[in-house]
Amino acid sequence: MVTSGHDRVRRPRGGSHGMARSAGVADRRVCRAAGPRAGSAASAPRARRRRRCRPRRRRADRGCELRRLRRRLRDAARERAARRTHRDRRRARAAPARQALVSADDVEVALEAVQVGGVTGAAGVGRVVADGEHARGLMNRRVLIGPIDPCGECDVCRHGGAAVCPHVRVRDALGARTTAAARWLVPLSDGLDLAVPAAAAVAGDVTAAYTLYARTGAAPRDPVVVVGATPISRFLIEILLAKGIAPAAVGSGGAWADWLRGKGVAVAGDRAALAAAFAERSLGTRPWRVICADPATVAAAVELAGPRAMLTVLAGRSPPPIAGDALGREVTVLGIAGPHPDLVVEAAAMCVKGEIDLAAGTTLAAGDPLRTRVCEIA
Ligand SMILES: [Zn+2]
């Protein structure tokens, strides 16, 4: 007797009586649905045909599956190749910039504007286009970049001498691109937005002025004299006024004196006139704090520094000689080599608040001695 798989599946477990009855019911159902009863003479050719066809169909199915599998493998290989090509192209584009990075702490900056000239070195504003392994987080951000990258780790740096760090990296000029240590860059975002190209002066002349103020340690009611008619002097006057200090400045007329008077600053040409200006403001006869923002006018600043005065001098790249008689008057001389990179944030914040008029203090034109010249990089 021929028993179909269909019958075996449907046969219930249990006693022989129940099994026979159930099998009978199933057989009748199969007969009604599929034609001749299994095992009958009429069903034999059909069963033979089914046995002959089944292996062929299985072989055909296996062939289809293989073809589908091969197609899937081919598609996956093509996809992998396309992905690899795209990645290689991306790496090739990034390769020249990454090769320029000296250290994993560096980033590559594409400059948008730079400060031109100045006594403290190069400064600018630009966008980070490549980052080192340890300098993630600045990619594509606009940053302020100053003239130096101190190590930040040595004892000189730890004692506030970052500008004269023995391991400092100095940028005397900036091209279209430059490498810089990520830790000293100041990103312009999160409320610290400054217009380009004026922002190029912030990490340069503006921070140099702020460093002169911060290192002098001047407080309101201190008699402070500013010597030198430069863009740094201009920013310094604005900083002192914003900090509640009423400075006097050395001047004899012209645009510088006019600008000072417009700000309510006393202008005088000699020591006696300056003393009179301080007396007028009831600042007494305390030793002065003389800040020299122009290395070329150090001699005049030394003359003004009386007994026990404090003389702060912007030394720049070529420090001027200091007259020995200042030591005889016990003048405390403080040299400032350049803008301190830690103070860029404070200087930028004063520009954002409008305490420093950055737009008025910078210019694209050449030949203005009272404004910092900035230049856009195409
Ligand atoms: Zn250092």
Side-chain angles (χ1 to χ4, degrees):
M1 176 182 168
V2 176
T3 309
S4 71
H6 183 74
D7 290 336
R8 278 200 300 275
V9 169
R10 284 184 175 267
R11 187 173 296 144
R13 289 178 188 171
S16 60
H17 178 71
M19 185 175 73
R21 198 170 54 220
S22 300
V25 170
D27 284 347
R28 276 199 299 279
R29 199 163 51 231
V30 168
C31 289
R32 274 198 300 275
R37 187 174 179 165
S40 68
S43 70
R46 186 183 176 133
R48 274 200 301 277
R49 212 164 42 240
R50 202 177 291 157
R51 274 201 300 277
R52 273 203 308 273
C53 293
R54 204 171 287 153
R56 281 187 205 158
R57 202 175 299 148
R58 279 190 195 138
R59 272 202 297 275
D61 288 350
R62 273 205 297 275
C64 279
E65 268 179 37
L66 276 171
R67 274 198 294 279
R68 271 201 298 274
L69 187 63
R70 279 195 203 112
R71 203 179 306 134
R72 272 209 300 273
L73 286 171
R74 245 193 338 263
D75 290 348
R78 268 194 214 121
E79 203 177 308
R80 272 200 306 276
R83 220 178 297 143
R84 206 163 40 233
T85 312
H86 180 65
R87 195 176 56 218
D88 289 348
R89 276 198 208 121
R90 212 172 50 214
R91 278 183 186 163
R93 275 200 301 272
R98 284 189 183 283
Q99 279 165 10
L101 298 179
V102 177
S103 129
D105 300 316
D106 285 346
V107 296
E108 188 77 7
V109 180
L111 275 302
E112 294 173 294
V114 294
Q115 175 181 303
V116 181
V119 295
T120 56
V125 59
R127 209 167 277 280
V128 174
V129 292
D131 50 1
E133 201 180 325
H134 304 147
R136 304 288 187 222
L138 285 176
M139 196 64 183
N140 293 324
R141 294 183 76 180
R142 181 175 277 166
V143 293
L144 299 176
I145 178 169
I148 57 166
D149 285 339
C151 78
E153 306 292 336
C154 69
D155 283 335
V156 175
C157 285
R158 285 178 184 161
H159 285 81
V164 286
C165 166
H167 313 291
V168 73
R169 177 168 58 184
V170 180
R171 284 178 288 273
D172 285 323
L174 289 173
R177 287 189 176 216
T178 192
T179 303
R183 66 177 293 181
W184 302 114
L185 296 176
V186 175
L188 289 181
S189 57
D190 307 324
L192 203 65
D193 290 319
L194 292 167
V196 175
V202 174
D205 281 1
V206 180
T207 303
Y210 194 90
T211 308
L212 284 168
Y213 152 74
R215 292 291 304 279
T216 302
R221 308 291 302 160
D222 274 344
V224 178
V225 180
V226 175
V227 183
T230 65
I232 295 176
S233 312
R234 177 189 177 120
F235 292 132
L236 176 61
I237 292 283
E238 289 182 315
I239 292 166
L240 292 169
L241 291 172
K243 299 293 180 186
I245 299 163
V250 175
S252 55
W256 176 232
D258 292 343
W259 183 84
L260 288 168
R261 289 193 188 99
K263 291 280 178 184
V265 175
V267 187
D270 56 38
R271 183 176 177 77
L274 287 166
F278 287 134
E280 220 173 86
R281 295 178 185 192
S282 310
L283 293 180
T285 53
R286 280 180 291 164
W288 295 353
R289 291 176 184 269
V290 181
I291 306 178
C292 178
D294 179 6
T297 58
V298 166
V302 170
E303 267 182 42
L304 290 172
R308 300 290 292 173
M310 173 179 272
L311 173 61
T312 310
V313 179
L314 179 65
R317 293 278 166 242
S318 46
I322 298 288
D325 60 338
L327 302 178
R329 296 195 296 274
E330 293 194 3
V331 172
T332 304
V333 179
L334 204 60
I336 304 296
H340 195 298
D342 259 347
L343 300 176
V344 178
V345 176
E346 278 86 347
M350 290 190 76
C351 294
V352 171
K353 284 190 271 182
E355 292 168 335
I356 295 172
D357 192 346
L358 189 61
T362 54
T363 178
L364 288 165
D368 190 336
L370 298 179
R371 290 184 177 85
T372 299
R373 190 180 168 207
V374 290
C375 174
E376 279 180 296
I377 300 208

